[in-house]
Amino acid sequence: MLGGTFWLLLLLLLLPLRPPGTQGHRGAASSGQEGEEPAAWPGVQRLKEQLRTVGTLSKRYWGLFSCTVWPDHCQDQEAPAPPLGWSLPLQWGRRSLDRLTEWFCRFQDCCTGGGDCRISNNLTGLESDLRVRLHGQHLASELVLRAVRGYLEQPQGDKALALSFHGWSGTGKNFVARMLAENLYRDGLRSDCVKMFISTFHFPHPKYADVYKEELRWQMQETRRRCHQTMFIFDEAEKLHPGLLELLGPHLEPRVPETQGVEPPRAIFLFLSNLGGSVINKEVLGLLKAGWSREEITMQYLETFLQAEITASTDSSFGSSRLVKENLIDFFVPFLPLEYRHVRLCVRDAFLSQDLPYTEEALDEIAKMMTYVPEEEQLFSSQGCKSISQRINLFLP
């Protein structure tokens, strides 16, 4: 806009304006018809033409700038040749745009290597985060990494990847969802390519289910239109209205690529739920009491119990939805209950994340503040690692 204003002022200063002399009147006299409009003033015609040229150049300047900063929104079109006599202004404008782009990119990451710079797909970082930051969840860590890596590395995905996380509150379901967003997208959960929905917040009233369906449909369409690789997170999935679950079905079905040789858009769906948490805890407790180590528990052992609990639940429509019945969920991921030693590690991480000093005594004292169940064994934290950061404030000087 500033560039266009500048050239407009320059034109007004340099335009060879001439007084409305005889040319217009001569045109009227020669016509011999009373009331005919006089011929157009040549200076006005020239001004109109040059204003159009200014508009064209301003659009081109904006196109050059936006294609540099946001190449994913840039259409590959051949730029029109500059108007005759405007090569020097175009060069000046391009230099100004280069300086503007350089200044803008000091504050905002810009794409420089092609592709969509919003998508990072840092699988190495994801593997490290799952190994170092996630505690007590060897099954979830291995399964999530294997599923996501396999999905992103296959050349042609015939369906969206759907993962369903199950376990008690505070065991790490939201934590892993955030890890995935942070490692697969430059802006994490704030990315244009990531949408998170919380059932009781975004869809709280069943009577408005039809309104929610239209809103959800629009949100998903817009996100998939903007991004070639999207992520949709549904927290408290067991509380989703049956109509919303039905709406999601077609998005998880296998699809045939529309164009051969063209990579189809990718989508990852995460469903987070407390559903099945009780049976997971029951089976893990039984194995530990039988002398198993936690790391010996395998997915094959828990999977059958978990899926049976999900489908048999009468408190939720999730288990009876087509997502489960038609096997549109690729993996049901169990999150195991956390023990004292895992809670202690969470406390340590909370201190480190806030750059606060800590002592071993402080770690023990905060970990002991949590409630542990069952009443007899006192083995699992009933809240997992939730509310750890708030408890740290009690130990600050």
Side-chain angles (χ1 to χ4, degrees), residues 138-139 282-303 305 336 339 341-342 379-380:
H138 66 286
L139 294 180
K282 176 184 175 183
E283 297 302 323
V284 171
L285 178 62
L287 292 174
L288 295 180
K289 292 176 68 174
W292 289 41
S293 72
R294 189 184 185 92
E295 288 68 27
E296 289 177 325
I297 301 174
T298 64
M299 184 64 203
Q300 288 73 16
Y301 185 85
L302 289 180
E303 188 172 22
F305 297 104
L336 310 185
E339 302 172 38
R341 56 191 172 109
H342 306 124
L379 190 58
F380 304 137

Side-chain angles (χ1 to χ4, degrees), residues 202-203 205-219 241 244 247:
H202 293 95
F203 319 116
H205 305 294
K207 63 180 178 180
Y208 297 128
D210 290 338
V211 176
Y212 298 150
K213 285 173 64 176
E214 290 304 314
E215 176 65 19
L216 179 58
R217 180 184 289 111
W218 181 84
Q219 291 253 20
H241 189 276
L244 298 176
L247 172 68

Side-chain angles (χ1 to χ4, degrees), residues 34-68:
E34 186 177 354
E36 182 177 348
E37 290 294 331
W41 180 23
V44 174
Q45 287 296 112
R46 191 179 300 110
L47 176 60
K48 289 181 178 179
E49 293 175 1
Q50 294 183 343
L51 284 176
R52 283 195 292 267
T53 302
V54 168
T56 301
L57 284 174
S58 297
K59 291 178 181 177
R60 191 174 185 200
Y61 291 153
W62 173 250
L64 291 170
F65 174 69
S66 61
C67 284
T68 301

Side-chain angles (χ1 to χ4, degrees), residues 219-233:
Q219 291 253 20
M220 295 179 67
Q221 288 176 348
E222 283 298 298
T223 305
R224 301 191 81 164
R225 181 185 63 82
R226 290 195 303 263
C227 301
H228 187 73
Q229 177 184 303
T230 53
M231 176 182 289
F232 300 100
I233 305 171

Side-chain angles (χ1 to χ4, degrees), residues 243-265:
L244 298 176
L245 292 169
E246 184 69 21
L247 172 68
L248 296 175
H251 294 275
L252 303 183
E253 293 176 343
R255 60 183 182 273
V256 178
E258 297 179 0
T259 306
Q260 292 295 329
V262 177
E263 184 180 356

Side-chain angles (χ1 to χ4, degrees), residues 278-339:
S278 296
V279 72
I280 293 173
N281 296 355
K282 176 184 175 183
E283 297 302 323
V284 171
L285 178 62
L287 292 174
L288 295 180
K289 292 176 68 174
W292 289 41
S293 72
R294 189 184 185 92
E295 288 68 27
E296 289 177 325
I297 301 174
T298 64
M299 184 64 203
Q300 288 73 16
Y301 185 85
L302 289 180
E303 188 172 22
T304 303
F305 297 104
L306 176 58
Q307 291 197 35
E309 176 74 9
I310 293 171
T311 55
S313 175
T314 58
D315 298 328
S316 169
S317 300
F318 186 79
S320 58
S321 69
R322 61 179 299 205
L323 305 187
V324 176
K325 287 187 172 182
E326 297 181 14
N327 299 314
L328 299 180
I329 303 292
D330 295 293
F331 298 99
F332 293 93
V333 184
F335 281 72
L336 310 185
L338 298 182
E339 302 172 38

